[in-house]
Amino acid sequence: MRMSIVLPFCLLATHVYSQSVFDSTSLWPPGPGQDLVPQVPDAELVQILSQIDPNRIKATIQKLVSFGTRHTLSNQTDPVRGIGAARDWIASEMRTYAAASNGRMVVTVPSYVQQPVSGLVPKATVISNIVATINGSVEPNRVYVVSGHYDSRVTSILNFMDDAPGADDDGSGVAVSMELARVMATHQPAATIMFAVVAGEEQDLFGSNFMATTLKQKGADVQGMLDNDIVGSSTADDGTIDTTDIRMFVSGLPPSNTAQQNLNLASIGGENDSPAHQLGRFVAEVSQNTATQMNVRTIYRPDRFLRGGDQESFLSQGFPAVRFTEPHENFAHQHQDVRVVNGVQFGDLIDFVDFNFTANVAKVNGAALWSLAQAPGTPKGLTIDTSVLTNNSTLRWTADTRAAGYEVVWRESDEPQWSKVISVGMVSSVTVQLSKDNVQMGVRAVGKNGFKSPAAFPMPS
């Protein structure tokens, strides 16, 4: 049943949601909604984040570095050196986490053979990912992914013999994914969480592309992917230390869009309201608090200039994805042969990793992942009625019986974050006295547990 209500400016708000019929006589706040108050971690999430351990992150990165090189083309059968030894250790460690999950977590090592690629892969090479999955108790097909890549490199992309420690790029991202798998293994999310460690990133995003393509082919509803790549250092090349900021790169127009879809978005000023942007807004809202002690610096571009990462593989499949990277990179410690030149140390050594900083980045990811998985899914089928000229706005969406209600969120068109909210109850259509010509609007679902989904952005009906 579809219900429609009109919300006048002069009424006061209710925070009570009904599973049946919204009480349109409830009082509402004067004006078009209230200030949006960011979601805060509940007791379970606070407990999860408190278990993230910098010492375990240090031990993980130390172990990864001990394999000498993790280059994609390095040895896959040597038990102590090369990417094969790293793969086997990561899988074994993940299985120890799964053993504490009472069967909720399953660890797999999906692989494929990558055929030669000129200048990158001279011979057929096995690419193996390691994935620990906790299936959702309510919506197992709704999926959220956190990832880091475990391959490493030196100056030459084809040099698989020399030591490539890969402590920061991307031992730090691997440590984030593995530590979150460890602490969340004993908890049960409503939606599925996949803790991924992927290979072949340095060559051409091979592992993440394999994972994203496989999920797409299986029809998985991937509603968010968090890529952690180079998240281990708080010190810039000039010695500046920044322990509280993490950059989050957020892509604009989806690369999976057709030209017409992009034109449609541009025609309504929706360039800043892609699914990835909504995911980024959500992460910024739920992950900046006393539990993480971090600021999330949102940067609206797919990645840094001349760089790329595994989030691109998911974006290409139409999945919302963002990338985390430390605030001040030191390029002498990335993609470099280990050496000293004029007193300057080159190479991605563990000496330059800040384990407390990396742990706090893991907390940012953990707050976002858990909040996503415990909330209802992002509303689907959201449209805004453009059939008549009016200063009101009518929104319609597909109701989700797992939600306890919905909220209309809005912001001025030049604001980065949603700033106002109107609670509308358990409905699938609402008319608000707010002009679609003046502001950007979205709709988010609210769970019975109080968790709120990322907002959906409406297209004209």
Side-chain angles (χ1 to χ4, degrees), residues 202-459:
E202 299 291 6
Q203 278 63 39
D204 196 17
L205 313 180
F206 290 143
S208 60
N209 181 65
F210 174 55
M211 182 178 184
T213 301
T214 300
L215 287 167
K216 186 72 171 184
Q217 291 171 346
K218 290 182 176 179
D221 183 15
V222 180
Q223 294 196 8
M225 184 270 189
L226 310 179
D227 179 33
N228 290 269
D229 196 348
I230 313 178
V231 294
S233 177
S234 59
T235 304
D237 51 9
D238 63 0
T240 303
I241 298 176
D242 184 351
T243 61
T244 59
D245 290 330
I246 183 68
R247 290 184 294 175
M248 177 176 62
F249 289 91
V250 183
S251 183
L253 295 173
S256 59
N257 271 10
T258 64
Q260 186 59 55
Q261 286 174 318
N262 285 339
L263 285 173
N264 291 343
L265 267 177
S267 72
I268 58 172
E271 303 94 328
N272 197 24
D273 282 282
S274 67
H277 278 193
Q278 306 309 344
L279 175 63
R281 290 189 175 99
F282 179 92
V283 172
E285 179 185 340
V286 304
S287 296
Q288 302 181 96
N289 47 55
T290 56
T292 67
Q293 301 180 32
M294 292 289 281
N295 302 312
V296 177
R297 183 181 180 188
T298 304
I299 300 175
Y300 288 130
R301 59 171 56 100
D303 213 315
R304 300 96 77 225
F305 287 99
L306 304 177
R307 307 298 289 275
D310 289 319
Q311 80 283 3
E312 296 176 16
S313 298
F314 284 77
L315 290 167
S316 295
Q317 296 298 330
F319 301 139
V322 300
R323 174 191 176 136
F324 292 107
T325 297
E326 63 202 32
H328 306 288
E329 295 176 84
N330 189 325
F331 301 111
H333 302 157
Q334 299 174 16
H335 299 183
Q336 294 285 342
D337 294 339
V338 179
R339 67 197 191 281
V340 178
V341 179
N342 297 325
V344 177
Q345 178 69 63
F346 287 80
D348 191 356
L349 303 175
I350 197 168
D351 310 60
F352 307 118
V353 176
D354 180 337
F355 307 110
N356 289 312
F357 175 80
T358 310
N360 284 341
V361 174
K363 291 179 182 180
V364 167
N365 281 261
L369 272 178
W370 192 253
S371 299
L372 286 163
Q374 291 299 84
T378 302
K380 295 181 181 293
L382 178 61
T383 63
I384 190 163
D385 192 334
T386 57
S387 61
V388 295
L389 294 174
T390 173
N391 286 317
N392 296 333
S393 298
T394 298
L395 297 153
R396 300 184 179 90
W397 59 94
T398 302
D400 183 349
T401 57
R402 290 174 286 266
Y406 291 90
E407 294 176 340
V408 174
V409 292
W410 65 273
R411 67 183 199 279
E412 297 293 341
S413 63
D414 60 349
E415 288 183 325
Q417 290 291 115
W418 301 115
S419 57
K420 301 288 183 179
V421 60
I422 307 171
S423 300
V424 299
M426 190 57 190
V427 297
S428 59
S429 175
V430 63
T431 299
V432 293
Q433 290 188 6
L434 184 66
S435 175
K436 57 186 171 293
D437 297 323
N438 296 343
V439 301
Q440 298 291 73
M441 282 178 272
V443 172
R444 66 183 186 182
V446 182
K448 299 171 186 177
N449 55 8
F451 281 92
K452 302 173 183 180
S453 74
F457 181 71
M459 294 299 293

Side-chain angles (χ1 to χ4, degrees), residues 161-188:
M161 296 299 295
D162 290 341
D163 281 354
D168 192 7
D169 183 13
D170 185 33
S172 61
V174 171
V176 166
S177 188
M178 292 181 68
E179 183 67 357
L180 290 175
R182 183 185 71 84
V183 299
M184 290 188 180
T186 56
H187 297 264
Q188 180 63 74

